[in-house]
Amino acid sequence: LDRVVPGVVTSHHLVDTISQANAEGQQVVVHYNQKQEEEDDVCTKLFVKRVDARKYAENKSWADLRRTLLYARTETRFYQEFLPKLNSASSSSSTSSSTIMP
């Protein structure tokens, strides 16, 4: 989590692992400091999705693993590149302050 959310102070899982055909995921609550000099922690919910290539390759073909990794890369790109644009367009065009969270 520290690579994705620098300054993680604590984290805990909200639900048990969600098993998908190609990955495992968990909803996690993370408390972190945005700036090291601040004492107030920020709290956010994240959905962490993980593909364990070694475990996956035991039961699936190389083509299935490759497809899964490409899906994961596309999903990551969406959250990094397009979601911020959707959030800014949503907040500038609506009167409510709803935000789409990854």
Side-chain angles (χ1 to χ4, degrees):
L1 283 177
D2 205 30
R3 285 188 300 169
V4 178
V5 184
V8 169
V9 177
T10 61
S11 65
H12 65 277
H13 305 281
L14 292 179
V15 294
D16 292 333
T17 300
I18 299 166
S19 295
Q20 299 172 312
N22 60 358
E24 294 178 345
Q26 290 183 319
Q27 192 173 15
V28 179
V29 174
V30 178
H31 298 271
Y32 64 98
N33 284 330
Q34 285 183 314
K35 298 177 183 173
Q36 295 299 332
E37 55 273 357
E38 292 182 13
E39 293 194 20
D40 293 332
D41 293 344
V42 177
C43 179
T44 190
K45 288 182 187 177
L46 302 174
F47 182 77
V48 178
K49 184 174 181 177
R50 186 182 71 172
V51 176
D52 184 344
R54 285 176 288 198
K55 184 177 172 183
Y56 190 83
E58 290 174 1
N59 302 318
K60 302 287 183 173
S61 69
W62 164 245
D64 287 337
L65 175 60
R66 183 178 182 278
R67 182 174 45 253
T68 295
L69 295 174
L70 290 173
Y71 287 156
R73 183 180 69 180
T74 301
E75 199 171 356
T76 301
R77 181 176 174 220
F78 169 79
Y79 286 119
Q80 290 177 340
E81 188 175 333
F82 298 104
L83 187 62
K85 292 175 185 177
L86 291 172
N87 280 335
S88 67
S90 172
S91 64
S92 66
S93 67
S94 80
T95 56
S96 68
S97 61
S98 64
T99 302
I100 302 169
M101 291 295 292

